């Protein structure tokens, strides 16, 4: 199967597989504050993530590209909506375009229709500094995501098996590229040990990409003759991963993603320590099922949900979500008690 055919396969399986029955954001309640003293219409949801100035803490996380006309059309529509709503957007892995120049247009369309927006380039951790530079140039990108996806590669029939040069390559890119570099998981979450190692390399931006959303174990297992189904539930849930990431590293810039269903889930991620939140599969499903206008309406609704939470916590800046009082229950509390409360 060609890389472009695999991209289409991924979209089909990602939208078709069952989601986790339990979402760990449901193990969390934010403590309500009754005495709001704000004007809703004056609230701003501008977000600051290190060097990145965002008009919203929500961005469309990495999804697709490199699959011919179908993925070009998806990226064009998402970019148009992102432009109208003022949110950032990440493209899917550009490795296909770096290896096959015919696929460049499936990514370049994003900058063409959204010339002023915040756009993230994306490569795998096997990428070289030259490939990183080309990926950024391809989009005139504001930042670069480097995705780490070990388990996906292990289950993928044609996946990579040798990661011995991974950290060295990440470090070279960090030291050689001019835009912020975001290390991103793809649905398995990041542990505090992973974050410690990344920080030692000089990483200042991470996207925890926790368990709860698109499950690439299931996606890749659907493509195997003999499934590795025992790994379908592997990974660290997103709320837990945000807490793991911030422990001992208060200065690292955290993006929460993975299983975020709505604006309130995004707010919960920010209360736990994220500075922004990404959504992918949920937004793609709206686009493909209902169209561009429905996607725009959904994004504006998420913005409204975030502003309602600001009113209920009496805060005027989304960065003030961090460390608002909250309560944990169930499996999430058990994890925190065992791992993070020692």
């Amino acid at each position: 199967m060609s890389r472009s055919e695999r991209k289409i396969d991924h979209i089909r399986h990602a939208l078709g597989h069952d989601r986790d029955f339990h979402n760990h954001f449901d193990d969390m309640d934010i403590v309500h504050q009754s005495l709001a003293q704000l004007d809703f219409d004056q609230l701003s949801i501008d977000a600051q993530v290190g060097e990145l100035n965002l008009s919203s803490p929500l961005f469309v996380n990495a999804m697709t590209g490199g699959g011919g006309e179908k993925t070009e059309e998806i990226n064009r529509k998402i970019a148009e909506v992102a432009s109208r709503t003022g949110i950032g957007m990440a493209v899917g892995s550009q490795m296909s375009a770096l290896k096959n120049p015919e696929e460049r247009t499936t990514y370049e369309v994003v900058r063409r229709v959204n010339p002023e927006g915040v756009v993230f380039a994306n490569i795998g951790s096997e990428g070289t500094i030259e490939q990183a530079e080309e990926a950024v140039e391809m989009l005139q990108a504001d930042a670069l995501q480097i995705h780490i996806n070990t388990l996906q590669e292990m289950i993928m029939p044609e996946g990579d098996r040798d990661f011995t040069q991974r950290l060295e390559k990440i470090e070279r890119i960090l030291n050689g590229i001019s835009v912020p570099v975001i290390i991103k998981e793809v649905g398995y979450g990041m542990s505090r040990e992973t974050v410690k190692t990344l920080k030692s390399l000089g990483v200042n931006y991470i996207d925890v990409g926790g368990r709860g959303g698109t499950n690439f174990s299931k996606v890749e297992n659907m493509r195997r003759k003999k499934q590795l189904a025992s790994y379908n539930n592997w990974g660290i849930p997103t709320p837990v991963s945000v807490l793991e990431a911030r422990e001992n590293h208060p200065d690292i810039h955290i993006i929460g993603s993975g299983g975020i269903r709505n604006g309130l889930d995004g707010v919960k991620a920010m209360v736990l320590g994220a500075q922004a939140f990404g959504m992918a599969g949920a937004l793609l499903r709206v686009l493909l099922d209902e169209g561009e206008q429905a996607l725009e309406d959904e994004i504006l609704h998420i913005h409204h949900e975030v502003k309602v939470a600001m009113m209920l916590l009496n805060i005027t800046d989304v960065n003030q979500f961090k460390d608002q009082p909250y309560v944990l229950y169930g499996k999430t509390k058990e994890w925190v008690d065992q791992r993070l409360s020692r």
Side-chain angles (χ1 to χ4, degrees):
M1 176 180 289
S2 70
R3 187 180 289 265
S4 61
E5 289 172 327
R6 192 168 78 224
K7 295 280 189 175
I8 300 299
D9 228 20
H10 281 166
I11 293 172
R12 179 167 57 87
H13 290 314
L15 293 177
H17 76 70
D18 294 333
R19 291 301 189 268
D20 287 353
F21 176 75
H22 176 71
N23 188 302
H24 284 71
F25 282 108
D26 292 334
D27 288 345
M28 175 183 177
D29 280 335
I30 302 170
V31 178
H32 173 60
Q33 306 299 329
S34 301
L35 298 176
Q37 302 163 58
L38 307 172
D39 181 346
F40 185 86
D41 293 331
Q42 297 301 311
L43 295 178
S44 168
I45 57 170
D46 291 353
Q48 181 82 30
V49 184
E51 300 173 42
L52 299 169
N53 296 308
L54 308 175
S55 61
S56 165
L58 165 67
F59 73 98
V60 182
N61 217 341
M63 277 193 274
T64 195
E69 292 182 2
K70 184 174 181 62
T71 57
E72 181 174 347
E73 180 185 10
I74 290 171
N75 275 342
R76 177 184 60 78
K77 290 179 177 179
I78 294 172
E80 288 173 344
V81 174
S83 177
R84 294 197 296 269
T85 56
I87 68 172
M89 173 184 175
V91 299
S93 174
Q94 292 166 260
M95 300 304 290
S96 57
L98 297 173
K99 297 176 181 179
N100 178 8
E102 291 182 1
E103 296 291 350
R104 286 180 63 107
T105 59
T106 67
Y107 301 96
E108 291 171 332
V109 65
V110 171
R111 183 54 85 191
R112 187 165 67 248
V113 303
N114 189 7
E116 304 300 327
V118 174
V119 176
F120 298 166
N122 184 317
I123 64 170
S125 61
E126 76 276 19
T128 64
I129 178 63
E130 292 79 15
Q131 288 174 321
E133 290 172 339
E134 185 178 349
V136 170
E137 180 275 330
M138 194 184 302
L139 300 173
Q140 295 299 299
D142 301 277
L144 171 69
Q145 291 182 334
I146 300 177
H147 63 266
I148 49 177
N149 61 334
T150 308
L151 182 53
Q152 182 187 6
E153 296 288 349
M154 291 295 98
I155 299 176
M156 188 189 303
E158 64 277 63
D160 293 334
R161 298 293 186 267
D162 182 359
F163 302 99
T164 54
Q165 302 299 310
R166 168 180 274 171
L167 295 185
E168 181 181 336
K169 288 184 175 181
I170 289 174
E171 189 169 22
R172 285 179 182 171
I173 293 171
L174 285 168
N175 293 331
I177 206 160
S178 59
V179 298
V181 175
I182 304 164
I183 308 301
K184 178 193 184 310
E185 250 289 359
V186 301
Y188 303 108
M190 290 191 189
S191 67
R192 62 185 180 188
E193 293 86 0
T194 294
V195 176
K196 181 179 179 181
T197 299
L198 291 173
K199 199 74 174 70
S200 72
L201 298 178
V203 172
N204 291 314
Y205 299 82
I206 61 167
D207 179 341
V208 299
R211 179 162 63 88
T214 301
N215 185 323
F216 278 103
S217 292
K218 291 182 179 179
V219 169
E220 299 300 348
N221 267 321
M222 291 177 184
R223 303 176 57 246
R224 290 179 63 95
K225 292 182 179 179
K226 179 69 172 177
Q227 293 195 1
L228 287 166
S230 53
Y231 287 96
N232 279 348
N233 294 315
W234 183 274
I236 305 172
T238 300
V240 173
S241 192
V242 171
L243 289 171
E244 289 257 346
R246 68 174 288 188
E247 182 160 275
N248 303 321
H249 300 290
D251 57 335
I252 200 162
H253 303 297
I254 301 171
I255 295 169
S257 70
I260 292 178
R261 302 160 294 184
N262 49 53
L264 182 55
D265 284 349
V267 166
K268 289 180 178 180
M270 291 189 285
V271 168
L272 294 174
Q275 293 170 291
F277 61 96
M279 297 177 66
L283 298 181
L284 179 60
R285 189 172 292 106
V286 171
L287 174 65
L288 296 184
D289 290 349
E290 304 176 51
E292 278 188 64
Q293 186 58 54
L295 177 59
E296 181 174 342
D297 292 343
E298 179 67 16
I299 289 169
L300 294 177
H301 181 70
I302 292 167
H303 286 171
H304 188 85
E305 290 177 309
V306 172
K307 291 178 70 174
V308 168
M310 294 173 74
M311 288 292 291
L312 299 179
L313 297 175
N314 201 41
I315 62 174
T316 58
D317 185 321
V318 294
N319 292 314
Q320 294 173 331
F321 278 125
K322 184 178 179 181
D323 293 326
Q324 292 292 317
Y326 63 90
V327 178
L328 298 178
Y329 310 95
K331 291 185 177 181
T332 300
K333 183 179 186 300
E334 291 173 12
W335 184 298
V336 170
D337 288 345
Q338 294 181 56
R339 282 275 295 175
L340 305 178
S341 298
R342 297 179 178 177

